[in-house]
Amino acid sequence: MGPYTGRDPDAKKAEWLRQKAPQGHKYGEVKESLSRLNLKTVCEEAQCPNIGECWNGGGDGISTATIMLLGDTCTRGCRFCAVKTSRTPPPPDPMEPLHTATAIASWGVDYIVLTSVDRDDLADGGSGHFARTVQALKTLKPDIMVECLTSDFRGDLTAVHTLLYSGLDVFAHNIETVKRLQRIVRDPRAGYEQSLSVLRHAKQSKKGMITKTSIMLGLGETDNELKETMADLRAIDVDILTLGQYLQVG
């Protein structure tokens, strides 16, 4: 067995783990649009291996991308993430909200996810920038449903409130893992109770707001710890819970 990892270094990877270099007409169109408007995506910054399938439309023919606001540099350093980090990232692009809305409206999609890096260097954590993007998008395409996958804004509930009343339809914030593994997996500035507080406030502060979170599996959590986390999320009326897993392809 290989050192530290527990896997055989000579074992071949499963064929379904191997991805071809992204290409195709729709992929090219989306990439050109994003590049021209200087927009960032989680797909590129997190080095997602499924980028070609999503941008080309997959089985339904609809191109999808998760737009990452507030630049491509995060002020935190969670251990599961490939996005670059810095304590002093460049200031946000003031034209990004309009450019983002323009690009998304041109794609003709009915549902879009907006997310961002953590911006602890900004007074409001970037919530105002988030809100302006949602408002611009709703102006250009009022019927589109918008999900915002946000940071915890350092637990600043005023910042959360700003985004809640921007016109978004789904407020998402990922708790990421069970309580015991928080300090191992996430940046020390994040935290289990802080994330619960943000999700609770989102649900209680605006009637009808849909709240969503996600847990990564395979980090050493036990079944009982997962059940406890699910119970904590249910206790604050989180509407949607997704369970995922990061695969180490390299």
Side-chain angles (χ1 to χ4, degrees), residues 27 31 34-35 38-51 55 65-74 78 80-85 90 96 115-118 246:
Y27 171 83
K31 187 172 181 64
L34 293 167
S35 177
N38 194 31
L39 301 179
K40 308 298 181 183
T41 66
V42 170
C43 323
E44 294 172 300
E45 302 304 326
Q47 303 172 22
C48 179
N50 299 317
I51 186 171
W55 287 18
T66 299
I67 299 294
M68 190 164 74
L69 304 175
L70 296 164
D72 62 356
T73 305
C74 188
C78 297
F80 59 86
C81 185
V83 174
K84 61 185 177 182
T85 64
E96 187 178 57
T115 189
S116 76
V117 291
D118 282 279
Y246 277 77

Side-chain angles (χ1 to χ4, degrees), residues 20-37:
K20 296 180 180 179
Q23 54 187 327
H25 179 66
K26 286 188 176 181
Y27 171 83
E29 284 186 342
V30 173
K31 187 172 181 64
E32 189 280 329
S33 173
L34 293 167
S35 177
R36 173 168 42 84
L37 295 172

